[in-house]
Amino acid sequence: MKIAVPYLAGDVNAHFGCTESFLIAEADNGQVVRASVFEDDGMQHDHSGIAGFLKQQGVDVILAGGMGAPMQQALKMQGFELYCGVTGRAGEAVEAFLRGDIEQSHSTCGHHHGGHHDGAHRSN
């Protein structure tokens, strides 16, 4: 199983669509056997680009902070299992998931994006 976490300075990036890198961990029998950080330069807010990148990496599960509804839809259409509302250190989030301590949630992004015209949930 491969698990991807949007990565920012060791933490779960709270804004999935703006992330410039992902921690991708490979797990076997509930243990992390390999973890690497991959750059996704230039794909910020590119729903199909991010989905394709993660698919190419063989990712099964995505642990994320906030994520807009269009991005969630694009990822689900690609067959990813999503867990939103995740916070804290990226590596610890992967371990918590493997222990079964993270429940599925569909938290959406809760702030305004200057260039978005996709109907994502916005506040403020």
Side-chain angles (χ1 to χ4, degrees):
M1 167 189 303
K2 285 193 177 179
I3 304 158
V5 183
Y7 189 84
L8 180 64
D11 291 328
V12 176
N13 189 335
H15 184 175
F16 185 89
C18 282
T19 198
E20 295 180 3
S21 57
F22 286 89
L23 171 68
I24 298 180
E26 187 173 344
D28 189 26
N29 292 323
Q31 299 293 318
V32 174
V33 295
R34 186 172 315 126
S36 301
V37 175
F38 291 84
E39 302 296 318
D40 72 340
D41 294 332
M43 285 190 272
Q44 292 74 33
H45 295 292
D46 177 354
H47 301 168
S48 61
I50 292 173
F53 168 78
L54 294 174
K55 194 61 129 178
Q56 284 179 334
Q57 300 303 319
V59 169
D60 305 294
V61 174
I62 299 169
L63 308 178
M67 182 186 301
M71 181 66 81
Q72 287 186 31
Q73 183 179 21
L75 294 172
K76 286 178 185 175
M77 287 178 60
Q78 290 289 325
F80 295 106
E81 191 174 333
L82 299 179
Y83 293 79
C84 296
V86 178
T87 60
R89 305 296 291 170
E92 291 173 9
V94 170
E95 292 173 7
F97 171 77
L98 292 172
R99 287 191 309 267
D101 293 343
I102 294 180
E103 294 183 17
Q104 232 166 0
S105 168
H106 301 288
S107 296
T108 58
C109 184
H111 64 273
H112 179 74
H113 303 274
H116 276 199
H117 300 287
D118 59 14
H121 171 75
R122 296 183 177 109
S123 64
N124 295 13

